[in-house]
């Protein structure tokens, strides 16, 4: 009996296909409903709040200003100090707007009413006098520090860091060729289908918070710090969560206001964002790399020098501090280049604060290095595969320490490229595209390679509990919200315990039911939570063996366990799994459970993806096919892994072609899906996804690496390359719009 | 009909085979009526602007986005929501096909997607992949990349024809 490696069906789909799922807005508790009055200027002084009309309305309970809410909101939001060292940062205090508003769309007042309709009606009547100040919307302008987003910081540069390795200047001067590059990703909106939401209940002593989040335990810690309430008195429950993509590891002032209101009013208060609110609450990306590269005539890349500018928006969110510090050391990617000098800067602007989004830094780094590789290929008229082959870290160099000290664990990058080109039929596609172009069609094929870093520690928690009837509950600190990792983890545990998978329930997402946890992000859950679940299950099985030994009056060494039976080797006596479980609850020290807090470290999956693009006469590009060949370590459930490739690949189509959050002084112009184009079934490509048969394992027990973000990490580079092939033009940014194509 | 501000209107609807009567504000959206008044939370609100399709229900057999229909417009009509598609806890062929084809991830678009699939299969049993993609292009899924959803609908269509 073995489950791992098979496409076992997702265990908990019934509730979703029958309408019995429970997202935060579906929770039925007596509660008041919050809504927000938002700033209509990008920068201004909040003068006066006219809340009298609202308070006269039937069903309106309260209208709160920043002054009132911030009496309870003591600390500011972010950064995520588990991964971000705050010391080099200049960080403004980010609470509910008080005194000044820093971006168009920022909440400046909160209305609490008996129901949603009343709250929204009342919010319409709250007038806020805001005296406009000079604002800085554009990152390039903000760098000049002429207009400051936060006067007290003295600059708009939130972070400046130098990432130097080798001697880039010398390598550049020794290079056969030098070329200037500019590479950019524009601003996106992550857009999980479930808008964010929160329900906060305060009973006078304890807070219970239902929260659409990826990180219930970190959220508890943050709420504890911000409200100065011990963690033991805060329970954060993550119900079903309708997608996150990194954007739900993001704490907002709106959410803090809901908690503050529930404490202040002593009532349960809830808020579910409208789509427009979701779109102006969470933006992502926007980074520009400008610099120079040096390479030899044979295609060897020898130097990268330049400046990376990352936009922050008006405040430093919980997660955006990651980008300026992870992008630079990941820029070398899978290639041997060792002389780099990268100045990384993070810049405040009077715009919506930016948060991490699927891939968080690796899409940016990969787009930069893959554009560089394509540039070298173009300059030398070399083939895309050949130029990469020339530069890839060789197998005999593994494990390889990259110039910034990251240790690439396992892999054979050139062999994967060779195999990938074959499996994905890249050369055949290229020939086909060329012959189509001769017939007048604008079709193109693009390839890109990636190496990414995932599986982030520091730890994950798991408990395996054997119930009296022999069924098993596995409580994990990981927090799947669509990926299906719970099914893969059940597969691993079923194999460890050699019992049918139906007898196992995987549970997560309640900070009191699960004593500790970090969460699901960074393609880490299967590797780290899966390994923790394997480890706690192994310990539980050892305990079961001891119970069997006690019961059969044998030494534990004499007991062998296989296929659900404990066998006394010498005497041939047997006890079933269920009988031992029952026994375990009847003797001394009743019960069987084992918990593990497993430390973990990063691991490095890699792969090659190919896109086929067709461009019409109006410059509208469609990705017709998307093919992927990945070494993600051991694959536990191929169908789930493929699902991640499809989903990430479709988001890559969005980033490369359609999605763009345009912001000006009047705020963000994309406030519905009629003006922000998330791919539909019509724009989504056909996928072919393959995983390397001879995989390279991570150091985790699962031997798996990670796949949650792969396609969005490498997809934009492959798609942009395909547009270049189709049109003969050059593009160094995402999205590539019809205007760009027709220009 | 003329109504004063704040005045409620009595409506009678049949939802998933059950008659309901209630008084609603004329501006109340059908999706809020289903979710708040009838506690049928299977239908989700994804965008409020009829672009995402998470709130898709059948109104007299036709698929509509219930965030853009007023509850009063449903007066006297028959509504089917995701909760009404399976009978005697047996999944419909579409629901079963979604499970079997890994056609969902976070599940938030799933109700609307399945209701839409029921609708298109009630209109036309046999479809090409292109046609399926076209018929669900008003339903956004951010997780799956659609391929498994399209496969599930084609699979369901085969099952329903078998």
């Amino acid at each position: 009996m073995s489950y791992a490696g098979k496409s076992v069906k997702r265990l908990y789909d019934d509730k979703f296909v029958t309408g019995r799922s429970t997202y935060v807005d579906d929770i039925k508790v007596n509660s008041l409903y919050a809504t927000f009055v938002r700033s209509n200027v990008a920068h201004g002084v909040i003068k006066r709040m006219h809340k009298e009309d609202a308070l006269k309305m039937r069903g309106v309970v309260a209208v709160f200003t920043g002054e009132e809410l911030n009496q309870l909101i003591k600390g500011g939001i972010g950064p995520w100090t588990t991964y971000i060292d705050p010391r080099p940062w200049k960080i403004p205090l980010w609470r509910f707007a008080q005194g000044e508003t820093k971006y168009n769309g920022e909440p400046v007042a909160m209305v609490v009413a008996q129901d949603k309709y009343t709250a929204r009606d009342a919010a319409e009547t709250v007038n806020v006098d805001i005296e406009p100040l000079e604002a800085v919307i554009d990152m390039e302008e903000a760098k000049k520090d002429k207009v400051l987003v936060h006067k007290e910081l003295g600059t708009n540069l939130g972070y400046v860091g130098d990432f130097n390795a080798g001697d880039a200047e010398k390598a550049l001067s020794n290079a056969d060729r030098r070329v200037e590059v500019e590479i950019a990703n524009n601003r996106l909106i992550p857009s999980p289908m479930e808008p964010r939401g929160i329900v906060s209940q305060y009973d006078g002593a304890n807070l219970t918070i239902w929260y659409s989040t990826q990180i219930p335990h970190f959220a508890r810690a943050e709420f504890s710090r911000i409200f100065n309430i011990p963690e033991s008195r805060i329970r954060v429950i993550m119900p079903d969560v309708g997608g996150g993509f990194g954007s739900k590891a993001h704490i907002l002032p709106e959410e803090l206001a809901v908690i503050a209101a529930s404490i202040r009013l002593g009532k349960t208060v809830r808020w579910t964002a409208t789509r427009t609110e979701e779109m102006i609450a969470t933006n992502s990306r926007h980074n520009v790399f400008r610099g120079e590269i040096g390479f030899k005539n044979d295609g060897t890349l020898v130097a990268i020098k330049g400046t990376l500018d990352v936009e922050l928006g008006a405040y430093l969110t919980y997660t955006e501090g990651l980008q300026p510090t992870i992008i630079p050391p990941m820029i070398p990617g899978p290639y041997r280049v060792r002389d780099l000098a990268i100045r990384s800067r993070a810049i405040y602007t009077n715009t919506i604060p930016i948060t991490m989004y699927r891939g968080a830094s690796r899409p940016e780094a990969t787009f930069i290095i893959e554009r560089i590789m394509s540039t070298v290929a173009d300059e030398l008229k070399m083939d895309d595969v050949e130029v990469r082959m020339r530069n890839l870290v060789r197998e005999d160099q593994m494990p390889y320490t990259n110039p910034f000290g990251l240790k690439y664990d396992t892999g054979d990058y050139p062999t994967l490229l060779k195999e990938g080109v074959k499996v994905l039929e890249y050369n055949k596609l290229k020939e086909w595209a060329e012959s189509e172009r001769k017939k007048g069609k604008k079709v193109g094929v693009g390839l890109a390679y990636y190496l990414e870093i995932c599986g982030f520690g520091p730890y994950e928690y798991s408990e395996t509990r054997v119930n009296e009837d022999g069924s098993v509950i596995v409580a994990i600190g990981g927090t799947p919200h669509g990926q299906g990792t719970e099914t893969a983890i059940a597969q691993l545990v079923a194999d460890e315990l050699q019992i049918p998978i139906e007898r196992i329930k995987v549970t997560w997402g309640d900070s009191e039911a699960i004593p500790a946890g970090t969460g699901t992000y960074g393609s880490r859950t299967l590797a780290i939570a899966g390994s923790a679940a394997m480890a706690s299950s192994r310990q539980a099985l050892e305990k079961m063996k001891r119970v069997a030994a006690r019961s059969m009056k044998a030494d534990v060494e004499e007991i062998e366990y296989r296929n659900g039976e404990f066998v006394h080797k010498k005497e041939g006596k047997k006890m079933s799994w269920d009988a031992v479980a029952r026994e375990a609850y009847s003797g001394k020290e009743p019960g069987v459970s084992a918990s593990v807090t497993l430390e973990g470290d990063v691991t490095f999956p890699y792969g090659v993806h190919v896109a086929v693009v067709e461009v019409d006469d109006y410059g509208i590009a469609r990705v017709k096919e998307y093919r992927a060949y990945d070494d993600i370590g051991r694959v536990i459930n191929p169908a789930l892994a493929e699902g991640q490739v499809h989903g990430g690949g479709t988001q890559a189509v969005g980033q490369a072609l359609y999605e763009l959050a345009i912001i000006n002084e009047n705020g963000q112009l994309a406030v519905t899906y009629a003006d922000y184009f998330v791919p539909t079934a019509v724009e989504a490509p056909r996928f072919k996804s393959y995983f390397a048969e001879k995989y390279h394992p991570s150091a985790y027990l699962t031997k798996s690496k990670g796949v949650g973000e792969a396609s969005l990490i490498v997809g934009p580079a492959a798609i942009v390359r395909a547009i270049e092939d189709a049109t003969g033009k050059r593009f160094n940014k995402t999205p590539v719009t019809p205007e760009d194509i027709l220009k | 009909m003329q109504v004063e501000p704040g005045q409620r209107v009595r409506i009678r609807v049949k939802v998933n085979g059950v008659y309901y009567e209630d008084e609603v504000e004329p501006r109340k959206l059908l999706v809020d009526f289903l979710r708040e008044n009838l506690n049928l939370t299977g239908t989700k609100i994804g965008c409020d602007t009829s672009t995402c399709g998470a709130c898709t229900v059948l109104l007299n057999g036709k698929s509509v986005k219930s965030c853009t229909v007023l509850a009063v417009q449903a007066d006297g009509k028959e509504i089917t929501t995701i909760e009404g598609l399976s009978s005697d806890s047996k999944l419909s062929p579409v629901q079963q096909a979604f499970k079997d084809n890994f056609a969902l991830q976070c599940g938030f678009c799933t109700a609307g997607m399945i209701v839409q699939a029921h609708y298109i299969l009630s209109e036309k049993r046999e479809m090409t992949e292109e046609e399926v993609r076209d018929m669900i292009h008003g339903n956004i899924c951010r997780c799956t990349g659609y391929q498994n959803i399209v496969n599930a609908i084609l699979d369901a269509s085969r099952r329903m024809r078998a």
Side-chain angles (χ1 to χ4, degrees):
Chain A
M1 178 170 54
S2 172
Y3 290 98
K6 298 196 176 87
S7 290
V8 172
K9 299 272 186 297
R10 289 159 45 107
L11 298 175
Y12 311 127
D13 272 357
D14 277 46
K15 63 177 173 179
F16 297 111
V17 300
T18 57
R20 286 173 287 181
S21 53
T22 309
Y23 301 87
V24 69
D25 197 55
D26 301 333
I27 291 167
K28 294 284 173 190
V29 288
N30 279 329
S31 54
L32 300 171
Y33 203 98
T35 194
F36 296 94
V37 180
R38 293 173 185 278
S39 169
N40 58 0
V41 301
H43 194 187
V45 180
I46 303 167
K47 287 289 190 192
R48 220 176 83 80
M49 195 83 61
H50 306 271
K51 52 185 182 180
E52 307 74 24
D53 289 349
L55 288 169
K56 277 184 226 148
M57 289 172 69
R58 190 179 64 193
V60 173
V61 175
V63 179
F64 292 125
T65 60
E67 280 79 3
E68 294 159 305
L69 294 167
N70 288 340
Q71 287 170 16
L72 289 161
I73 304 170
K74 297 189 176 75
I77 294 170
W80 197 349
T81 50
T82 309
Y83 302 108
I84 299 160
D85 177 2
R87 284 171 302 181
W89 281 86
K90 289 194 163 64
I91 305 171
L93 180 63
W94 186 19
R95 299 189 294 172
F96 203 88
Q98 180 179 346
E100 264 189 39
T101 174
K102 304 286 188 183
Y103 67 93
N104 196 319
E106 182 174 17
V108 292
M110 177 198 212
V111 176
V112 183
Q114 271 178 332
D115 65 87
K116 180 163 82 175
Y117 284 73
T118 307
R120 289 180 188 169
D121 282 349
E124 295 281 311
T125 71
V126 177
N127 281 317
V128 187
D129 297 341
I130 301 175
E131 190 181 294
L133 294 171
E134 207 178 346
V136 58
I137 306 294
D138 180 53
M139 179 165 75
E140 299 306 318
E141 275 304 307
K143 283 192 305 201
K144 298 175 190 161
D145 274 345
K146 277 190 196 148
V147 177
L148 295 179
V149 179
H150 302 282
K151 228 185 319 173
E152 70 278 15
L153 301 183
T155 174
N156 291 325
L157 296 181
Y159 169 89
V160 181
D162 284 312
F163 292 78
N164 294 319
D167 188 340
E169 206 52 67
K170 195 170 145 205
L172 273 174
S173 56
N174 289 339
D176 294 336
R177 298 278 306 275
R178 297 168 69 149
V179 174
E180 285 187 5
V181 293
E182 179 172 331
I183 301 159
N185 295 130
N186 280 309
R187 194 186 274 247
L188 299 176
I189 303 172
S191 293
M193 290 320 295
E194 181 211 17
R196 65 194 56 240
I198 187 166
V199 181
S200 179
Q201 188 172 64
Y202 184 63
D203 67 6
N206 300 304
L207 267 172
T208 302
I209 297 165
W210 291 269
Y211 187 28
S212 182
T213 180
Q214 299 172 230
I215 47 166
H217 288 87
F218 280 118
R220 179 180 65 173
E222 285 302 288
F223 296 154
S224 165
R225 178 182 62 77
I226 291 166
F227 290 98
N228 195 21
I229 294 172
E231 287 189 42
S232 56
R233 285 173 45 202
I234 303 174
R235 178 180 184 187
V236 177
I237 302 169
M238 167 203 189
D240 290 327
V241 168
F245 314 115
S247 74
K248 285 181 183 164
H250 175 37
I251 293 164
L252 294 180
E254 287 93 328
E255 294 157 352
L256 300 182
V258 168
I259 297 170
S262 77
I263 296 171
R264 172 128 177 206
L265 297 169
K267 299 241 168 70
T268 303
V269 180
R270 79 192 306 153
W271 172 66
T272 303
T274 62
R275 177 56 55 186
T276 299
E277 286 182 302
E278 172 68 34
M279 293 177 92
I280 59 174
T282 310
N283 280 188
S284 62
R285 303 269 201 275
H286 195 202
N287 57 286
V288 183
F289 179 79
R290 291 186 186 87
E292 196 179 7
I293 58 169
F295 48 94
K296 293 191 201 164
N297 285 330
D298 69 358
T300 308
L301 178 70
V302 294
I304 302 175
K305 182 172 181 267
T307 304
L308 172 74
D309 289 332
V310 176
E311 189 174 358
L312 296 171
Y315 297 100
L316 183 62
T317 62
Y318 195 54
T319 56
E320 188 55 17
L322 294 167
Q323 271 60 248
T325 52
I326 299 184
I327 297 170
M330 283 305 289
I331 285 178
Y335 306 112
R336 293 193 309 271
V337 58
R338 299 205 63 90
D339 294 297
L340 300 98
I342 296 161
R343 168 154 288 192
S344 175
R345 303 188 291 197
I347 298 139
Y348 292 110
T349 53
N350 288 112
T351 64
I352 295 160
I354 289 182
T355 179
M356 70 175 177
Y357 170 46
R358 201 173 194 164
S361 304
R362 295 97 86 207
E364 295 91 327
T366 303
F367 194 68
I368 291 166
I369 188 64
E370 287 304 291
R371 288 309 311 162
I372 288 173
M373 281 296 147
S374 297
T375 302
V376 174
D378 288 343
E379 291 292 325
L380 298 172
K381 300 199 166 35
M382 276 175 84
D383 177 69
D384 272 338
V385 176
E386 195 190 338
V387 76
R388 284 168 177 80
M389 208 55 107
R390 172 85 58 204
N391 286 285
L392 283 172
V393 170
R394 295 185 310 270
E395 197 198 4
D396 62 34
Q397 295 176 295
M398 297 296 291
Y400 175 82
T401 304
N402 99 349
F404 297 110
L406 295 173
K407 201 168 168 192
Y408 300 170
D409 50 354
T410 57
D412 181 349
Y413 309 151
T415 301
L416 179 126
L417 179 55
K418 220 182 296 166
E419 286 173 3
V421 164
K422 215 166 104 190
V423 172
L424 305 181
E425 300 184 300
Y426 172 69
N427 291 322
K428 220 167 122 184
L429 283 173
K430 287 285 274 189
E431 282 165 29
W432 164 82
E434 208 180 323
S435 72
E436 289 292 300
R437 283 199 297 271
K438 279 181 189 146
K439 290 183 223 157
K441 271 193 150 181
K442 276 195 219 126
V443 295
V445 178
L447 166 147
Y449 199 101
Y450 76 95
L451 168 93
E452 68 120 332
I453 178 172
C454 71
F456 304 93
Y459 69 87
E460 200 49 276
Y461 174 89
S462 169
E463 183 199 22
T464 302
R465 198 173 345 131
V466 183
N467 298 318
E468 201 166 348
D469 66 352
S471 65
V472 171
I473 290 178
V474 183
I476 56 167
T479 53
H481 44 281
Q483 300 85 349
T485 328
E486 66 282 2
T487 298
I489 289 175
Q491 289 173 252
L492 294 166
V493 171
D495 283 349
E496 286 296 326
L497 302 181
Q498 300 172 53
I499 59 172
I501 198 167
E502 295 75 27
R503 307 207 63 196
I504 295 161
K505 180 181 176 186
V506 179
T507 181
W508 67 92
D510 178 338
S511 71
E512 271 178 20
I514 321 289
T518 51
T520 286
Y521 48 87
S523 302
R524 70 194 290 276
T525 310
L526 183 58
I528 191 161
S531 297
M534 285 173 77
S536 63
S537 299
R538 279 178 192 181
Q539 289 187 13
L541 179 56
E542 280 311 305
K543 290 185 179 175
M544 288 285 280
K545 272 188 189 169
R546 287 207 289 275
V547 174
R550 189 178 70 201
S551 180
M552 289 190 265
K553 300 191 170 42
D555 288 335
V556 72
E557 295 77 27
E558 294 174 307
I559 300 294
E560 196 178 74
Y561 177 69
R562 51 170 188 262
N563 298 329
E565 275 187 332
F566 295 87
V567 182
H568 189 328
K569 282 181 279 189
K570 267 198 304 214
E571 296 182 13
K573 275 195 286 192
K574 285 180 185 172
M575 269 181 95
S576 71
W577 170 270
D578 288 359
V580 173
R582 216 168 300 122
E583 183 67 25
Y585 283 82
S586 53
K588 268 190 208 160
E589 295 172 50
V592 179
S593 76
S595 63
V596 161
T597 305
L598 185 85
E599 275 181 73
D601 202 355
V602 291
T603 178
F604 294 83
Y606 58 101
V608 60
H609 290 203
V610 169
V612 180
V613 166
E614 191 174 334
V615 180
D616 71 13
D617 292 341
Y618 304 101
I620 295 169
R622 286 272 162 85
V623 181
K624 306 301 280 185
E625 276 217 39
Y626 190 98
R627 299 180 182 180
Y629 186 71
D630 301 282
D631 182 350
I632 58 170
R634 180 172 165 234
V635 179
I636 308 301
N637 185 318
L640 293 178
E642 277 171 28
Q644 291 302 302
V645 172
H646 296 185
T650 303
Q651 291 183 356
V653 170
Q655 175 174 341
L657 298 176
Y658 311 120
E659 295 183 30
L660 177 61
I662 301 168
I663 294 193
N664 66 19
E665 293 71 24
N666 298 319
Q668 179 175 285
L669 306 183
V671 291
T672 73
Y673 287 140
D675 25 51
Y676 184 85
F677 310 120
V678 167
T680 73
V682 173
E683 289 83 32
R686 290 193 183 81
F687 288 96
K688 284 184 181 162
S689 164
Y690 308 89
F691 302 109
E693 233 164 78
K694 194 177 160 277
Y695 66 83
H696 292 77
S698 71
Y700 282 101
L701 277 180
T702 57
K703 301 192 177 78
S704 61
K705 288 186 172 177
V707 68
E709 299 154 293
S711 293
L712 189 51
I713 287 170
V714 67
I719 294 165
V720 169
R721 193 59 171 161
I723 305 170
E724 293 185 331
D725 190 42
T727 61
K729 296 179 179 174
R730 292 291 164 257
F731 306 100
N732 277 318
K733 68 171 184 80
T734 60
V736 178
T737 63
E739 291 86 343
D740 297 323
I741 289 173
L742 292 178
K743 225 185 279 172
Chain B
M1 180 170 44
Q2 195 100 31
V3 285
E4 298 299 316
Q7 191 187 327
R8 288 165 184 256
V9 176
R10 187 154 202 90
I11 61 165
R12 178 180 160 90
V13 292
K14 189 179 183 187
V15 182
N16 302 331
V18 179
Y19 284 103
Y20 296 91
E21 274 188 35
D22 209 343
E23 291 200 338
V24 298
E25 278 187 79
R27 56 140 170 204
K28 185 149 202 166
L29 299 172
L30 178 57
V31 68
D32 288 326
F33 174 75
L34 293 169
R35 291 176 52 80
E36 293 168 7
N37 298 48
L38 306 187
N39 286 328
L40 292 170
T41 54
T43 304
K44 309 300 180 190
I45 304 171
C47 75
D48 326 87
T49 52
S50 71
T51 39
C52 86
C55 64
T56 305
V57 300
L58 302 181
L59 188 64
N60 281 355
K62 297 274 185 205
S63 91
V64 296
K65 289 173 174 172
S66 60
C67 76
T68 344
V69 175
L70 298 170
V72 291
Q73 290 176 291
D75 184 30
K77 294 186 177 146
E78 200 168 320
I79 296 157
T80 307
T81 70
I82 184 73
E83 290 95 340
L85 293 178
S86 41
S87 51
D88 300 332
S89 43
K90 195 173 174 296
L91 298 180
S92 76
V94 176
Q95 290 170 320
Q96 190 62 46
F98 266 62
K99 271 181 75 174
D100 291 346
N101 288 277
F102 293 85
L104 56 144
Q105 287 183 27
C106 84
F108 199 77
C109 76
T110 306
M113 204 62 95
I114 287 178
V115 171
Q116 179 66 7
H118 270 265
Y119 170 66
I120 65 179
L121 291 171
S122 73
E123 292 281 299
K124 197 173 175 197
R125 237 350 112 72
E126 199 167 350
M127 268 180 296
T128 64
E129 188 199 321
E130 286 302 326
E131 286 174 310
V132 172
R133 283 180 182 269
D134 201 42
M135 293 293 280
I136 61 167
H137 102 278
N139 291 69
I140 297 174
C141 168
R142 191 60 159 167
C143 298
T144 66
Y146 303 99
Q147 183 156 304
N148 291 347
I149 292 175
V150 173
N151 288 345
I153 295 172
L154 292 171
D155 183 16
S157 120
R158 277 190 296 273
R159 288 174 201 218
M160 288 161 79
R161 279 180 281 132

